[in-house]
Amino acid sequence: PLRCSKAPVIYIVVPCYNEEEVLPLTAEFLGKKLDDLTRSRRIHPGSRVLMVDDGSKDRTWKLIEELHEKDERFAGVKLSRNRGHQNALLAGLFEAARRRCDAAISMDADLQDDVDACDAMIERYMAGCDIVYGVRRHRATDTFFKRTTALGFYKIMNALGANTVYNHADYRLMSRRALEGLAEFSEVNLFLRGIVPMIGYPSDVVYYDRKERAAGESKYPLKKMLAFAIDGITSFSIKPIRLITTLGVGALCASALMIIWFIIGAVRGNTVSGWATIVISIWLFGGLILLGLGVVGEYIGKIYMEAKGRPRFRVEKFLG
């Protein structure tokens, strides 16, 4: 159903970690976008850009303070320490945007996400959608390695049961109703790309061309990307544990066949020294055992973190 014609209050939530170099550009682009949307009466004048400082070590928070002093439409949330991109995004959505806006748009500070896609997202929201995903048209700007691993990641996630949107990161619009639904998910190990589709409600997709980072360096090197992928897989599926069980059964069957084969060989007198078979078997089963312990340990570690019930973030300061 179409929403009422009243212009909605929109909050653009931007997690920031050591974004001193790109933040002035980000503020310029987002400020112009607010001006354009407000003049055309597509959003309410009370709409804001909410920047979340995720425990930055540079002048990121100082720049946010300066932006707020010049223009009250720029608000800020400062976390007490670095808690990671997903928690910083959650802090902005929960602590500030959820009770003050009709819908919130989350995007990164590096300006790789096309700011103009916000127009289409707001149109879909006004048409009745509670969640609108910003999806890349292609990955032409990525390296072959990143493009291939990203494709493999999405395929693995969907094969393991997670309902992710292909080529979607964290550029999305969520209505207040969707934000309230998201607030009911209390897990510590966050993977918002998998959680948001679980909320339900009417949703749609807006396609855009992703750009190169405007300034600064990526905050997601290969090590963090791998950790993020592991968190995503283990947060949404127990299939890896079931896979270990299957491997264990398969290994037992292979061992039984090898025993039968060796017995037949001994009866026929075709005995060999056997050292190669022993060494290979030790390495094979030793590797399977360590792999199994590692995967089970990953789940136990997540259970441990969830059971402690520690806060996912703590806000130190608010601006606006």
Side-chain angles (χ1 to χ4, degrees), residues 199-240:
I199 298 171
Y201 298 139
S203 63
D204 204 346
V205 169
V206 168
Y207 294 95
Y208 69 96
D209 294 321
R210 190 169 171 86
K211 305 172 184 177
E212 296 286 349
R213 174 177 257 273
E217 298 179 353
S218 172
K219 305 306 182 295
Y220 263 91
L222 180 60
K223 182 179 178 181
K224 281 192 175 182
M225 287 174 62
L226 289 173
F228 186 64
I230 292 171
D231 279 343
I233 291 171
T234 54
S235 295
F236 278 86
S237 177
I238 61 169
K239 286 187 178 181

Side-chain angles (χ1 to χ4, degrees), residues 28 53 93 111 178 185:
E28 180 182 349
D53 179 22
L93 294 174
L111 291 179
F185 291 80

Side-chain angles (χ1 to χ4, degrees), residues 114-250:
D114 185 7
V115 176
D116 290 331
C118 292
D119 301 42
M121 288 183 178
I122 295 170
E123 288 176 7
R124 302 290 201 283
Y125 165 76
M126 294 302 293
C129 290
D130 284 283
I131 302 172
V132 184
Y133 301 99
V135 176
R136 299 173 62 171
R137 284 196 180 91
H138 53 75
R139 287 184 169 269
T141 57
D142 288 349
T143 63
F144 173 77
F145 174 76
K146 188 171 183 179
R147 187 164 56 249
T148 305
T149 52
L151 175 63
F153 170 71
Y154 284 108
K155 285 186 175 181
I156 290 173
M157 286 297 297
N158 288 324
L160 292 177
N163 184 24
T164 57
V165 178
Y166 180 64
N167 270 348
H168 164 70
D170 287 300
Y171 189 23
R172 69 179 75 88
L173 177 146
M174 297 181 70
S175 69
R176 181 184 292 185
R177 181 169 72 151
L179 291 173
E180 293 293 346
L182 180 61
E184 296 177 8
F185 291 80
S186 58
E187 56 247 51
V188 174
N189 301 286
L190 285 173
F191 184 68
L192 294 177
R193 300 178 199 183
I195 292 176
V196 173
M198 294 174 65
I199 298 171
Y201 298 139
S203 63
D204 204 346
V205 169
V206 168
Y207 294 95
Y208 69 96
D209 294 321
R210 190 169 171 86
K211 305 172 184 177
E212 296 286 349
R213 174 177 257 273
E217 298 179 353
S218 172
K219 305 306 182 295
Y220 263 91
L222 180 60
K223 182 179 178 181
K224 281 192 175 182
M225 287 174 62
L226 289 173
F228 186 64
I230 292 171
D231 279 343
I233 291 171
T234 54
S235 295
F236 278 86
S237 177
I238 61 169
K239 286 187 178 181
I241 291 181
R242 290 177 179 171
L243 179 61
I244 290 174
T245 304
T246 304
L247 287 173
V249 172

Side-chain angles (χ1 to χ4, degrees), residues 15-17 52-56 77 79 81-85 87-88:
C16 306
Y17 177 66
V52 184
D53 179 22
D54 184 22
S56 298
V77 174
L79 301 189
R81 56 183 289 264
N82 178 251
R83 295 296 298 154
H85 177 274
N87 281 308

Side-chain angles (χ1 to χ4, degrees), residues 33-45 73:
K33 177 53 59 179
L34 284 185
D35 290 337
D36 177 51
L37 292 171
T38 303
R39 279 196 302 267
S40 59
R41 297 183 179 179
R42 282 176 285 177
I43 65 173
H44 191 275
R73 296 178 304 170

Side-chain angles (χ1 to χ4, degrees), residues 25 60 201 282:
L25 281 173
T60 295
Y201 298 139
I282 290 173

